[in-house]
Amino acid sequence: MQRGASTLGDGGIVEAEVAVIGSGPLGIVVALELGRAGHQVVLVESGQRRPDPRIQELSDLVGDDRYHVAMDLAVRRQLGGTSNTWGGRCVPFDPVDFDSRPWSTGAWPIAYEEVAPYFQRACDWCVCGQAVFSAHDLPELAGHSLIEGLNDGHVLSSDLERWSLPTNFRLVYGDELGRAPSVDLITGLTCTRITLAPDGSAVDHLVCRSAFNTSVRVKAGIYVVATGGLEATRLLFASNDRRPQGIGNHSGHLGRWYMAHMQTRAARLCLARPEDEVSYDHERDRDGVYVRRRFTFSRDWQHRHNLANAAIWLVNPELADPGHGSAVLSMVYLLLRSPAGSRLIAEGIRRDHLRSAVAPRLGPHLRNIATGIGPAARFALAFGYGRYLRRGRKVPGFFVRSTSSRYLLMYHGEHLSHRESFVAPTSQLDALGMPRLRTHLHFSQADIDNAKRGLTHLDEYLREQNVGWLELRDSDIDSFIRRSLYGTGGYHQTGTTRMSEDPDDGVVTRDLAVHGFGDLYIASTSTFPSSSQANPTFTGIAFAVRLADHIRHLLGGGKS
Ligand SMILES: Cc1cc2nc3c(=O)[nH]c(=O)nc-3n(C[C@H](O)[C@H](O)[C@H](O)COP(=O)(O)OP(=O)(O)OC[C@H]3O[C@@H](n4cnc5c(N)ncnc54)[C@H](O)[C@@H]3O)c2cc1C
């Protein structure tokens, strides 16, 4: 059932077997996995079904971290959380991420083989088909490669990303949440503090407040914080009455090791033979799910070269630069710049598409459109239908075949975990009295060197295979890469409640319980000790499913 916080009396108590805080993808998965098994769950959500600027504003940051975006671009405080705006790219973390790597400070206390069995259930939640992430394992895709004649070696080009609908968890699971007899969904209620029992070893209750100043207590046997990476960290910091440094900060790791991703479009791929076929666009598997090929580096090669994990894929040229000569790209550029632009895609993605070193000039874009009006109109009809009008699965994006045999590349790599990369509470309070966070994302020279080495390895491999080479876009490549990182952090929030074997090394256990607690769990990508090449939500959902199984096991009973 669903009820609004305004229906609760001030000072009331809500009770359940399990309390889940936050109804983003991870919170919904934990709540429904348990609810479907018959356990009584209360799901406390700060937002409503519709966006509300007063609630969204609760997440605002303090300070001016040049690498970080504003929180209204990075998270959505609404039923369904940030899945209301996410892109839907589903990629699992790789075995190498879980390996011991002497140069990495992000050691996982759990093996890949313990997480991989949950990938199919994560696919089911994300509606992204089979948990198959290599073109070799899909007969319908196995017959060709990313570039004609290119074989897998220490560089692979058969690894796939999958795309969900994109699944908006509010739209897909909202009705079930509202109807489920065992799930008590309370919207418009923000958890502002986790209050511990007098001896500090267990949770006594949650303090929750609504925007209408109703204050209630939530009591349960088990508590799951699923408020998103930064908000989970913030709630633990704010819960400091019995633990002055915050819950889970016993060894000083809470808020540390904040990671994003290394993202740069620093290089172009040049084809050796213009006539070679390139799988630059999305393909569909036999279930109709959109997938896309990318370059990755083999596990063995990464170990041998102490190389951070990375994926590299083909992207369109910068839209803003009319030098691309494409009517379609110029048309999209002008649409995204127009007042309608922010209605077409998530604002963060729109701004990313408009980023360019080139000054905006209208005339050349109009000339591009005039010379290719036919193809541009056909594209607008086909893409507009597939992306916005068709029911169900949407086209994730579009790619234009290069007429110059050169393709811009996106390097999307692991951001190393650095102790000096952190989030911390400040003395500024939000409207409900919670301390606001400031962020300090740190990218080291080693991060930049990893990106350069990854691009160099790819260049050498393409040359060896005689299919092409890379050209760098700037002679001062270090500065170019660093500039590309400005304003990219905050979308993927990892590291700040890291999991560890030893309580001295982290915040939560391999089972996501806060060290020293048997009743308090964190379901968030912030528990990941390293950031991988992969966007984190899919693996976060796999961990959420695993956590729900763990809690079911603890509680026993319920429907199987
Ligand atoms: C534009 C954009 C595109 C993205 N694209 C991708 C992508 O393609 N692939 C990918 O893997 N990831 C992507 N992401 C990231 C992805 O959206 C997040 O990783 C994911 O939503 C995290 O899920 P979550 O459930 O942990 O947190 P969220 O989705 O952030 O949900 C947290 C929920 O908790 C609620 N909440 C917060 N604090 C409290 C509180 N104190 N009390 C009660 N409720 C609270 C919030 O209102 C929210 O509903 C994208 C993000 C953005 C912004």
Side-chain angles (χ1 to χ4, degrees):
M1 69 174 168
Q2 182 186 352
R3 47 185 171 152
S6 55
T7 63
L8 304 169
D10 190 35
I13 297 183
V14 177
E15 293 188 78
E17 264 183 292
V18 180
V20 178
I21 317 165
S23 76
L26 276 62
I28 286 181
V29 167
V30 174
L32 280 181
E33 286 272 349
L34 292 172
R36 287 174 185 176
H39 293 292
Q40 292 301 315
V41 179
V42 58
L43 177 56
V44 176
E45 168 53 47
S46 179
Q48 308 279 5
R49 280 192 183 246
R50 290 173 177 278
D52 178 336
R54 287 173 313 165
I55 295 172
Q56 183 63 45
E57 187 269 348
L58 295 173
S59 288
D60 284 358
L61 296 169
V62 173
D64 53 356
D65 179 348
R66 62 163 42 158
Y67 295 109
H68 211 279
V69 289
M71 288 309 275
D72 59 347
L73 299 184
V75 298
R76 280 290 273 277
R77 260 179 116 119
Q78 186 185 355
L79 181 63
T82 313
S83 76
N84 282 282
T85 188
W86 78 320
R89 189 196 303 265
C90 293
V91 198
F93 275 36
D94 299 309
V96 72
D97 296 313
F98 296 78
D99 288 347
S100 158
R101 297 176 298 170
W103 50 267
S104 166
T105 52
W108 289 72
I110 185 168
Y112 173 81
E113 288 70 22
E114 294 173 84
V115 185
Y118 296 91
F119 287 168
Q120 185 56 58
R121 280 161 75 190
C123 278
D124 296 342
W125 281 104
C126 295
V127 201
C128 66
Q130 312 162 65
V132 177
F133 294 90
S134 167
H136 295 307
D137 299 329
L138 290 171
E140 65 275 32
L141 301 182
H144 61 282
S145 50
L146 202 161
I147 303 174
E148 195 177 334
L150 179 64
N151 297 311
D152 276 1
H154 60 262
V155 172
L156 308 163
S157 49
S158 52
D159 275 3
L160 300 175
E161 60 191 25
R162 294 188 155 264
W163 288 81
S164 81
L165 296 173
T167 306
N168 178 331
F169 280 64
R170 171 177 58 89
L171 296 178
V172 176
Y173 302 109
D175 285 350
E176 183 182 350
L177 282 171
R179 281 196 318 267
S182 49
V183 178
D184 181 8
L185 166 63
I186 308 177
T187 51
L189 193 64
T190 302
C191 176
T192 55
R193 181 180 290 267
I194 301 165
T195 301
L196 299 184
D199 71 357
S201 67
V203 178
D204 188 75
H205 65 271
L206 306 176
V207 177
C208 300
R209 292 184 58 190
S210 79
F212 314 99
N213 266 335
T214 308
S215 178
V216 296
R217 291 173 171 215
V218 173
K219 280 183 87 67
I222 288 180
Y223 299 83
V224 179
V225 178
T227 49
L230 291 198
E231 288 299 333
T233 311
R234 181 180 177 209
L235 183 57
L236 295 182
F237 271 127
S239 303
N240 60 357
D241 39 3
R242 297 204 190 278
R243 308 251 174 137
Q245 305 306 316
I247 294 174
N249 206 6
H250 44 272
S251 49
H253 292 284
L254 183 65
R256 295 272 165 194
W257 315 103
Y258 185 28
M259 285 165 280
H261 270 116
M262 288 294 297
Q263 295 185 49
T264 182
R265 297 181 180 96
R268 287 192 195 88
L269 182 155
C270 306
L271 292 177
R273 290 172 299 277
E275 67 277 13
D276 281 352
E277 275 300 314
V278 179
S279 290
Y280 58 90
D281 208 345
H282 293 99
E283 297 169 67
R284 296 184 86 167
D285 73 4
R286 74 178 88 110
D287 304 316
V289 177
Y290 288 93
V291 298
R292 198 158 187 245
R293 296 169 200 255
R294 53 239 304 275
F295 298 111
T296 52
F297 300 99
S298 76
R299 184 180 190 174
D300 178 54
W301 183 263
Q302 289 188 44
H303 279 300
R304 228 172 329 135
H305 293 269
N306 294 335
L307 190 66
N309 200 0
I312 302 171
W313 59 84
L314 278 56
V315 291
N316 287 319
E318 280 180 0
L319 297 179
D321 181 357
H324 50 59
S326 159
V328 169
L329 296 179
S330 285
M331 185 181 67
V332 173
Y333 173 70
L334 295 182
L335 258 179
L336 291 184
R337 273 193 57 187
S338 76
S342 48
R343 308 252 286 276
L344 296 175
I345 45 174
E347 182 59 15
I349 299 177
R350 186 183 79 90
R351 290 190 193 184
D352 187 51
H353 280 315
L354 296 180
R355 271 166 87 120
S356 174
V358 176
R361 284 178 305 143
L362 197 59
H365 282 295
L366 292 174
R367 273 198 293 282
N368 282 346
I369 295 172
T371 50
I373 191 81
R378 276 196 296 281
F379 163 82
L381 283 175
F383 185 73
Y385 173 73
R387 175 73 196 181
Y388 301 105
L389 298 177
R390 191 168 69 197
R391 293 177 77 85
R393 201 167 290 285
K394 307 281 190 265
V395 187
F398 71 95
F399 298 92
V400 172
R401 179 184 288 280
S402 166
T403 48
S404 62
S405 307
R406 287 150 88 226
Y407 286 90
L408 192 59
L409 294 174
M410 166 62 101
Y411 172 96
H412 197 264
E414 179 174 1
H415 175 197
L416 303 178
S417 58
H418 306 290
R419 199 180 161 81
E420 60 270 52
S421 195
F422 65 87
V423 303
T426 65
S427 55
Q428 278 196 38
L429 304 181
D430 70 15
L432 298 181
M434 280 182 85
R436 292 197 187 279
L437 290 180
R438 75 187 165 96
T439 67
H440 175 80
L441 269 173
H442 174 74
F443 292 92
S444 69
Q445 186 59 39
D447 283 306
I448 293 182
D449 289 344
N450 267 313
K452 288 192 303 189
R453 287 165 58 223
L455 292 171
T456 304
H457 287 305
L458 177 59
D459 172 63
E460 289 167 358
Y461 189 77
L462 295 174
R463 288 174 195 270
E464 272 164 40
Q465 295 260 320
N466 195 26
V467 294
W469 63 90
L470 299 195
E471 70 180 20
L472 296 179
R473 293 178 65 195
D474 199 310
S475 53
D476 183 359
I477 200 66
D478 286 40
S479 306
F480 185 97
I481 294 174
R482 191 165 284 285
R483 281 197 308 277
S484 6
L485 296 167
Y486 294 166
T488 57
Y491 295 107
H492 302 155
Q493 302 166 9
T494 38
T496 52
T497 65
R498 53 154 46 183
M499 63 176 94
S500 66
E501 196 63 58
D502 189 324
D504 283 347
D505 298 330
V507 176
V508 300
T509 67
R510 67 204 307 284
D511 290 325
L512 307 183
V514 175
H515 278 294
F517 288 80
D519 61 353
L520 178 60
Y521 293 85
I522 311 294
S524 171
T525 58
S526 60
T527 61
F528 296 172
S530 70
S531 60
S532 181
Q533 48 78 17
N535 306 41
T537 313
F538 178 83
T539 306
I541 289 172
F543 269 98
V545 174
R546 181 174 176 273
L547 173 60
D549 279 5
H550 176 76
I551 294 174
R552 281 172 64 178
H553 179 72
L554 286 181
L555 294 174
K559 284 184 269 172
S560 58

